[in-house]
Structures are given as structure tokens and as C-alpha cells.
Amino acid sequence: MKSNKTLNDIQAEIDEWANQFTKPYFEPLSRMAAITEEVGELARVINTMYGDKKSKDGEIIKDLEEEIGDLLFTLVCMANAEKIDLMVAYERKMAKVLKRDNNRFERKL
Ligand SMILES: [Mg+2]
């Protein structure tokens, strides 16, 4: 499923969804816990795929894409609740990657 949504579109879409509720976003520590839960669920999938810890018999492990989506959603909720523009955050990060870390990793020849 291909989409041309921007990060701002995604933030607006989630904000519109959240604002139908009397309490659109969890309190800060609950949002942080939700992010942490999703990181753990992502770790569980990765560990099952590549690590030594295999799934228990009959246990259904969610897929990697689903968990990355869950994590993205919780991050967007945090950004929205804190009025963070994710494009600004992204551009700041990329500026660091392109400047500070420019010679950090070995390049292809
Ligand atoms: Mg999840």
C-alpha cells in the first residue's frame, strides 16, 4: 500500500482521530510507557526472527511491519501531544547525520 502522505499529514490524521475523544492523548508518563511497550514488542519480534529466543509453541508473534507501525503511532502521539512538528525534528536529525556523522561510517567504494 503506497501513500504520498507527509509526516505532517500523518500527524494531522492522528490528531483528528485523537480529538474525537474527551481526552485525546494519554498523560506524558503513560505515553512514554506506551512507547516503551511498543519498543519491547518490536524487540520481541526481532528476537524471534534473529535471536536465540524462539516463540513458545503456538504463540502468535506479530510481524515486524505491524510493530514498527505501532511504534510510529505512539511516537506521533507523543509528538502531537507535545506540539512537536515531526518534519522539524526530522530535519534536525538529518542535519546531524549529514554533518556531525558525515565521516563516521565506512562508505562504499
Ligand atoms: Mg505492538
Side-chain angles (χ1 to χ4, degrees):
M1 186 168 48
K2 195 86 174 163
S3 168
N4 291 322
K5 290 176 186 171
T6 66
L7 280 172
N8 291 145
D9 294 336
I10 292 167
Q11 284 192 265
E13 184 173 28
I14 291 175
D15 200 51
E16 187 178 324
W17 170 81
N19 275 293
Q20 69 183 304
F21 306 112
T22 53
K23 190 177 171 186
Y25 296 105
F26 293 157
E27 294 302 314
L29 292 179
S30 295
R31 292 196 305 267
M32 193 63 235
I35 290 169
T36 306
E37 282 180 31
E38 295 302 345
V39 169
E41 290 173 14
L42 176 59
R44 188 176 183 84
V45 171
I46 294 287
N47 203 17
T48 302
M49 291 171 72
Y50 303 109
D52 294 329
K53 189 177 175 186
K54 299 301 173 195
S55 63
K56 295 172 195 153
D57 281 346
E59 183 186 21
I60 297 166
I61 296 293
K62 291 194 217 169
D63 70 29
L64 186 56
E65 183 182 80
E66 180 175 349
E67 292 306 342
I68 289 174
D70 288 353
L71 182 57
L72 176 63
F73 181 86
T74 60
L75 286 172
V76 172
C77 287
M78 179 66 86
N80 283 357
E82 298 296 329
K83 308 288 185 225
I84 301 293
D85 182 330
L86 283 176
M87 277 309 297
V88 173
Y90 173 77
E91 295 296 350
R92 280 180 74 172
K93 176 58 183 175
M94 285 310 291
K96 279 196 283 188
V97 167
L98 295 173
K99 191 173 178 185
R100 183 193 68 190
D101 299 338
N102 195 37
N103 296 312
R104 189 171 174 190
F105 306 105
E106 186 177 348
R107 294 184 186 277
K108 292 180 184 174
L109 296 176

